[in-house]
Amino acid sequence: MVNESAVFWSRVLTELTLSFHILYATIGVGVPLMIMIAQYVGYKKNDEHYILLARRWARGFVITVAVGVVTGTAIGLQLSLLWPNFMQLAGQVIALPLFMETFAFFVEAIFLGIYLYTWDRFKSQKRHMFLLVPVAIGASMSAVFITIVNAFMNAPQGFDVVNGELVNIQPILAMLNPAMPTKVAHVLVTAYMASAFALASIAAVKMLKGSKHVYHKKSLHLLMKLGLVFAVATAVIGDFSGKYLAEYQPEKLAAAEWHFKTEEGAPLVLFGVTDGEEVKYAFKIPYALSILAHNNPTAEVIGLDQFPEDEIPPLYIHYLFDTMVMIGMFLLLVALVYVVGKWRNWRFITSKWYTRVIVAGGPLALLAIEAGWWLAEVGRQPWILRGFMKTADGATTSGNVDLMLVAFAALYLILGIGSIIVLLRMFRSNPIEKEIEERHLMKDGERG
């Protein structure tokens, strides 16, 4: 028997946990690659500023990893406590990628510890830099395996259903489901992109506060170039994601685009309001939805009229789609203008107003990550395992989930505020000018 109150609070608590965790998980996936690239550039150019970039980012990264571990553990706990029926049905299928995700994290954590502990123990920066390879790979593979679990929930395969149970399970086939390629690629490149813009935002803040140190200028220049690369990659993979949805989850695409009637030459709808039948005040791009779905401006796109009402996702995901896409295009434009401006010597890219635009890029990139995940999860509703189990059927019947929500909300508040305070104090007490001076004194002492 379904307990509607338990279902509601279970969904709220899961959304809260994932929304909090995804910020630290995104940084946890993207920052190791930024650290490795910075140290590689420093090694190739024999430039201590890039080496220090890697060192300082690595210190801050440790704090985010610690919070990510706690919230990741909370997700695992909540899967069993809040969604026991789902775990009973699909647990045998998702056990393998969950185990592999844990193994990937162990690899990342072990080599991160070795990397940090041996910073001044390697005479060769090249050898020390190689320790970052398993850290970056482990972080990315951790995201790959956990995203495979989510992809399976959207496109389940690799099993048979007998008497309501999954049998003849083929874990590898289940992992290689149709949603996996685009979902994994999208998660990785958006994590890299968001991390680049978040770190660039920090450098821009320092410059706005009056710092003229070349360290921050080099940091900003490197990160904006990386941000541009990953923003372009995000746009390309986003196009593939649209084509996946058109073929495998057409109801999700139709709901996100307020595409109510099946038609050829479908327009792309941006913004607007709807009463569930008619769209008003929207900006429509003719034929764009048909192009997104099928690369053909006259192709037919399936509308919501082809699905039962109880299987149509909530229509507010349209605004999540708009938020994600608009922020992505904004970030791409900001990075493109900066990179071209550097090449063409446009003075305005160093102005305060444009630096403020770059500062805004960091929070906006993380907001786009949130909007994308809300779109992914809410857009699958009413299914927890698409086509096999609805969300209401997968939830617990316990009446104490609301109390769990309060407890976990307090935990996340403490972790969020605590991590911010620790990071701020860490870098305020050890500004880059002080660290460079200390390193020069240490080198002079070694020579003496």
Side-chain angles (χ1 to χ4, degrees):
M1 183 176 178
V2 174
N3 184 333
E4 293 185 3
S5 176
V7 173
F8 173 78
W9 291 116
S10 293
R11 292 188 64 186
V12 171
L13 178 51
T14 303
E15 181 178 17
L16 174 65
T17 301
L18 288 174
S19 298
F20 185 77
H21 174 73
I22 197 61
L23 297 177
Y24 290 89
T26 296
I27 293 169
V29 173
V31 169
L33 182 64
M34 303 300 118
I35 296 171
M36 187 170 70
I37 291 174
Q39 189 153 347
Y40 174 76
V41 173
Y43 161 72
K44 292 296 288 185
K45 293 186 175 183
N46 194 25
D47 190 323
E48 71 170 350
H49 293 124
Y50 290 104
I51 301 295
L52 279 173
L53 270 178
R55 186 168 192 166
R56 290 168 69 83
W57 289 346
R59 289 183 196 144
F61 175 62
V62 171
I63 306 301
T64 62
V65 167
V67 177
V69 168
V70 175
T71 54
T73 303
I75 291 174
L77 177 65
Q78 289 172 20
L79 276 174
S80 299
L81 293 178
L82 303 181
W83 308 102
N85 297 331
F86 165 71
M87 291 301 291
Q88 184 178 3
L89 179 70
Q92 295 182 68
V93 182
I94 65 176
L96 178 59
L98 286 176
F99 169 77
M100 296 175 73
E101 187 271 340
T102 303
F103 181 78
F105 171 74
F106 283 161
V107 171
E108 174 194 358
I110 290 168
F111 280 92
L112 176 62
I114 297 172
Y115 171 79
L116 292 170
Y117 179 73
T118 59
W119 187 274
D120 292 316
R121 298 172 186 267
F122 277 89
K123 292 183 179 180
S124 169
Q125 283 291 340
K126 183 178 181 180
R127 292 180 180 178
H128 187 240
M129 179 182 65
F130 282 145
L131 290 171
L132 284 170
V133 175
V135 175
I137 293 176
S140 294
M141 292 309 296
S142 181
V144 167
F145 291 126
I146 203 67
T147 304
I148 285 175
V149 174
N150 185 268
F152 170 76
M153 295 166 69
N154 285 274
Q157 68 173 30
F159 57 86
D160 295 321
V161 179
V162 177
N163 297 325
E165 295 184 358
L166 304 190
V167 298
N168 301 326
I169 296 170
Q170 303 176 63
I172 301 300
L173 182 60
M175 291 172 64
L176 300 177
N177 61 77
M180 186 273 290
T182 54
K183 226 174 207 329
V184 166
H186 195 69
V187 165
L188 288 179
V189 296
T190 53
Y192 301 149
M193 180 191 74
S195 297
F197 280 104
L199 292 173
S201 181
I202 295 171
V205 167
K206 292 292 186 181
M207 295 172 69
L208 274 179
K209 288 184 175 180
S211 175
K212 302 294 184 181
H213 204 288
V214 69
Y215 167 90
H216 298 302
K217 295 179 181 179
K218 289 179 179 180
S219 172
L220 185 62
H221 186 53
L222 172 65
L223 292 165
M224 292 303 285
K225 288 192 291 185
L226 292 173
L228 176 60
V229 171
F230 292 122
V232 171
T234 297
V236 172
I237 294 171
D239 179 69
F240 288 126
S241 298
K243 290 169 176 54
Y244 159 78
L245 290 177
E247 182 173 354
Y248 293 97
Q249 289 182 274
E251 75 283 2
K252 185 175 182 178
L253 180 65
E257 276 305 308
W258 286 352
H259 184 58
F260 295 105
K261 294 182 179 180
T262 302
E263 64 177 335
E264 298 178 352
L268 189 72
V269 177
L270 297 173
F271 312 113
V273 295
T274 184
D275 57 6
E277 296 180 0
E278 184 181 359
V279 179
K280 298 179 181 179
Y281 316 118
F283 179 70
K284 297 184 179 181
I285 306 175
Y287 307 107
L289 184 57
S290 290
I291 295 173
L292 174 66
H294 302 292
N295 272 343
N296 183 346
T298 61
E300 180 181 83
V301 181
I302 298 174
L304 293 176
D305 57 342
Q306 300 297 310
F307 304 96
E309 286 190 17
D310 63 347
E311 294 184 8
I312 294 176
L315 295 181
Y316 71 81
I317 66 172
H318 171 75
Y319 297 115
L320 300 176
F321 177 84
D322 286 352
T323 300
M324 178 183 67
V325 171
M326 290 298 102
I327 291 176
M329 299 311 295
F330 170 78
L331 295 175
L332 194 157
L333 180 61
V334 169
L336 178 62
V337 169
Y338 180 90
V339 172
V340 174
K342 272 288 185 180
W343 173 49
R344 302 292 296 177
N345 293 319
W346 293 344
R347 292 185 177 181
F348 76 86
I349 65 168
T350 59
S351 65
K352 284 192 174 182
W353 73 266
Y354 201 77
T355 305
R356 291 191 181 98
V357 171
I358 296 173
V359 170
L364 286 174
L366 295 175
L367 177 60
I369 293 290
E370 292 281 16
W373 271 104
W374 291 337
L375 171 63
E377 295 303 288
V378 179
R380 190 180 61 249
Q381 300 306 313
W383 303 102
I384 189 170
L385 187 63
R386 185 177 180 270
F388 293 93
M389 176 179 278
K390 291 192 173 180
T391 302
D393 299 323
T396 181
T397 56
S398 171
N400 299 318
V401 182
D402 52 345
L403 298 178
M404 289 178 59
L405 173 63
V406 174
F408 276 102
L411 172 65
Y412 302 149
L413 184 64
I414 293 170
L415 288 173
I417 294 175
S419 62
I420 291 172
I421 291 174
V422 170
L423 286 169
L424 288 175
R425 288 185 175 179
M426 178 187 294
F427 290 106
R428 282 177 179 172
S429 63
N430 191 31
I432 184 60
E433 293 82 1
K434 178 182 176 182
E435 185 159 356
I436 289 177
E437 182 180 352
E438 289 176 351
R439 288 185 65 82
H440 285 168
L441 289 173
M442 183 177 67
K443 290 180 179 179
D444 291 342
E446 291 175 353
R447 294 191 191 101

